[in-house]
Amino acid sequence: KAGVTQTPRYLIKTRGQQVTLSCSPISGHRSVSWYQQTPGQGLQFLFEYFSETQRNKGNFPGRFSGRQFSNSRSEMNVSTLELGDSALYLCASSLMNGDSPLHFGNGTRLTVT
Amino acid sequence: DQQVKQNSPSLSVQEGRISILNCDYTNSMFDYFLWYKKYPAEGPTFLISISSIKDKNEDGRFTVFLNKSAKHLSLHIVPSQPGDSAVYFCAATPNSGNTPLVFGKGTRLSVIA
């Protein structure tokens, strides 16, 4: 079974631009979550989608948004990029049945210059 | 307000010895705890979890201990192997895993041959 796939692996953008990241969950997983990892900050929750609906949202500004499609694939978008948005963005999927753990992709490394 | 704390940023252990990684939490609503391992340029990989109804869970060389009264959990790796060298993240969630995970900032384990 294929794992969580994130594209692209690396991105370089300049301040003020916008970016879209893509995530394909494990087949059969209907929940997709996004996390941001920055040096020294661990993983911080961005948002979670289940059946195309946002179930939870973390404490990030409105420049960060996401969506989920009917095939469970998800995208996240960051508009008006800032230098501080440089991070590893991780997508994770799960079965959403109690104690099923999150399965993470390898992430998209975003660098904002 | 950091709800999950891993107070040791790094740990070095000799091959064959025991590695003990610690994690403290402040939110008494957390009832499900997980450990993830992360290699560079890869996403976190689920290792082991424990529900608050238990105080110990084992899986091969990995054992997680939970002390609810102290709001403390630990991951024991016995025996430690060079391939265990990675960053380990502790995570917690209320509602038996059906809500976003809250991660610690990670502990970098180095197993020295």
Side-chain angles (χ1 to χ4, degrees):
Chain A
K1 192 183 251 189
V4 178
T5 304
Q6 290 188 247
T7 56
R9 286 296 309 271
Y10 302 94
L11 263 178
I12 300 176
K13 293 283 188 178
T14 55
R15 277 179 297 174
Q17 287 187 313
Q18 69 93 27
V19 67
T20 299
L21 313 181
S22 181
C23 172
S24 294
I26 292 172
S27 177
H29 287 194
R30 293 167 62 193
S31 170
V32 173
S33 302
W34 289 88
Y35 287 80
Q36 180 197 65
Q37 184 186 11
T38 53
Q41 289 299 315
L43 283 76
Q44 295 182 286
F45 172 72
L46 281 156
F47 25 65
E48 177 195 1
Y49 288 88
F50 182 77
S51 293
E52 302 178 67
T53 301
Q54 187 179 88
R55 278 170 38 101
N56 288 292
K57 189 177 190 308
N59 189 25
F60 278 82
R63 299 185 297 106
F64 291 81
S65 63
R67 59 177 174 167
Q68 186 181 33
F69 302 96
S70 58
N71 61 359
S72 294
R73 194 176 69 82
S74 177
E75 288 181 348
M76 68 163 280
N77 184 78
V78 188
S79 62
T80 320
L81 284 166
E82 301 177 358
L83 294 179
D85 297 334
S86 294
L88 180 67
Y89 290 88
L90 292 159
C91 171
S93 71
S94 75
L95 286 168
M96 282 298 297
N97 59 353
D99 61 357
S100 61
L102 292 182
H103 297 268
F104 284 87
N106 287 332
T108 294
R109 171 74 62 188
L110 172 65
T111 302
V112 182
T113 62
Chain B
D1 175 31
Q2 205 181 336
Q3 299 184 68
V4 177
K5 298 179 185 178
Q6 295 177 256
N7 291 319
S8 298
S10 62
L11 174 68
S12 287
V13 172
Q14 283 218 298
E15 182 180 5
R17 307 294 288 266
I18 184 171
S19 295
I20 300 176
L21 296 98
N22 293 304
C23 178
D24 297 297
Y25 61 96
T26 57
N27 188 340
S28 57
M29 298 300 291
F30 288 150
D31 64 358
Y32 187 61
F33 305 87
L34 308 90
W35 285 93
Y36 282 82
K37 177 169 77 172
K38 186 179 184 299
Y39 294 117
E42 293 184 12
T45 303
F46 170 72
L47 261 182
I48 192 168
S49 62
I50 188 167
S51 164
S52 60
I53 62 173
K54 296 183 175 180
D55 55 17
K56 177 182 173 182
N57 190 26
E58 275 184 271
D59 184 0
R61 296 187 297 115
F62 302 91
T63 303
V64 57
F65 295 92
L66 175 62
N67 182 333
K68 282 181 292 183
S69 61
K71 294 192 179 67
H72 176 84
L73 64 155
S74 61
L75 175 68
H76 293 209
I77 307 173
V78 184
S80 301
Q81 300 172 353
D84 296 329
S85 297
V87 177
Y88 289 78
F89 291 98
C90 170
T93 180
N95 196 24
S96 299
N98 284 319
T99 48
L101 294 181
V102 179
F103 283 86
K105 293 186 179 181
T107 296
R108 182 177 300 279
L109 173 65
S110 299
V111 180
I112 305 160

